[in-house]
Amino acid sequence: MMFAHGFGCDQHMWGSVARAFEPDFRVVLFDHVGAGRSDLSAYDPAKYGSLEGYADDVVEIGNALGLTNAVFVGHSVSAMIGALATLKAPGMFADLVMVGPSPRYIDDEGYFGGFSRSQVEELLEFLAENHLGWSAAMAPAIMGNPDRPELGEALTNSFCNTDPDIAREFARVTFLSDNRADLPNIKARTLVLQCREDIIAPPSVGEYVHERISNSRFVMLNATGHCPNLSAPEEVTAAIRAFV
């Protein structure tokens, strides 16, 4: 079972969720380039100019470990990275768990992604100008759960610990991505976990993903915010366990 973290995070964000599956699965955790203890020198702007480059890394890890019929659990942007990996390496992942996925963050004709293009451009400009300020302002809003400020603080610290240059480019790749056309091609058995009151991936986006992946199941969590792996790990664990 491979767990992949979202933007601004690292493998530790899976914490107790990943540990809960260790008795029954070989658990694989890793850091995307630019996060955690990854090798920053491995960053290649050309390779990581799209989510395809990150999906190639997932496949490379899977090949190195000899994974077949594994479970991929991806949070936020890594939900789509995992989806792309299942298309690149059929047979490597039999099951796909998408936590707060979004195939496109920008609104389009007949599609509500949650952001206008101008909002995304302003967000990216703010990040480029002031990485620490962006982290302090955005992390608590992304986390939600204002009654539990320690969660927002944990996410802020995680954002601040990412490499700012790579984070800037990863954010641009993430928020300008459009992988809607890939959804109908996904053959892996899929679980879509959606949070309530998620400002990054609204409920309608999760429903959109579910409707376009034929072999998928949709679960609306009681958790709020965009990071249920931190705010409601027991609920996320139970939902995944019921699926796998």
Side-chain angles (χ1 to χ4, degrees):
M1 180 180 284
M2 181 185 292
F3 291 85
H5 64 83
F7 171 81
C9 300
D10 64 19
Q11 61 181 274
H12 294 98
M13 290 298 163
W14 281 111
S16 59
V17 176
R19 286 194 296 272
F21 290 95
E22 288 178 350
D24 304 305
F25 292 85
R26 177 169 63 151
V27 170
V28 179
L29 294 165
F30 71 98
D31 295 324
H32 287 300
V33 175
R37 300 178 64 183
S38 63
D39 179 5
L40 301 185
S41 67
Y43 183 77
D44 178 354
K47 174 180 178 179
Y48 297 107
S50 75
L51 296 184
E52 299 280 348
Y54 293 93
D56 287 338
D57 284 351
V58 169
V59 173
E60 183 177 350
I61 294 170
N63 283 331
L65 297 176
L67 299 186
T68 57
N69 296 320
V71 181
F72 183 94
V73 184
H75 171 235
S76 194
V77 64
S78 277
M80 286 311 308
I81 290 172
L84 294 174
T86 69
L87 299 178
K88 290 175 174 289
M92 181 173 289
F93 299 104
D95 297 327
L96 172 64
V97 179
M98 310 176 86
V99 183
S102 179
R104 178 183 168 104
Y105 295 87
I106 298 175
D107 300 338
D108 196 14
E109 184 175 354
Y111 173 80
F112 176 72
F115 298 88
S116 67
R117 178 166 288 276
S118 62
Q119 287 175 321
V120 166
E121 291 295 349
E122 289 174 4
L123 182 152
L124 295 174
E125 183 178 351
F126 181 19
L127 176 59
E129 293 177 349
N130 187 347
H131 179 253
L132 295 181
W134 185 94
S135 300
M138 290 298 298
I142 291 171
M143 176 60 71
N145 297 275
D147 58 324
R148 299 162 69 190
E150 69 277 7
L151 294 176
E153 183 178 345
L155 190 61
T156 298
N157 292 335
S158 178
F159 280 8
C160 292
N161 288 333
T162 58
D163 180 87
D165 294 329
I166 296 177
R168 181 184 65 246
E169 296 307 314
F170 191 19
R172 179 168 294 279
V173 168
T174 296
F175 285 105
L176 297 181
S177 62
D178 186 352
N179 295 101
R180 291 175 294 175
D182 296 304
L183 298 177
N185 299 324
I186 297 172
K187 305 303 180 186
R189 195 174 67 103
T190 302
L191 172 64
V192 178
L193 295 183
Q194 175 67 48
C195 292
R196 305 177 190 275
E197 302 174 23
D198 185 342
I199 68 168
I200 299 296
S204 60
V205 175
E207 293 170 356
Y208 179 95
V209 172
H210 164 55
E211 290 168 359
R212 282 155 181 79
I213 300 178
S214 59
N215 190 16
S216 67
R217 182 187 307 173
F218 179 84
V219 173
M220 177 67 76
L221 301 172
N222 288 323
T224 58
H226 188 59
C227 302
N229 45 334
L230 290 178
S231 64
E234 296 86 359
E235 187 181 10
V236 171
T237 299
I240 297 174
R241 192 175 296 283
F243 176 68
V244 300

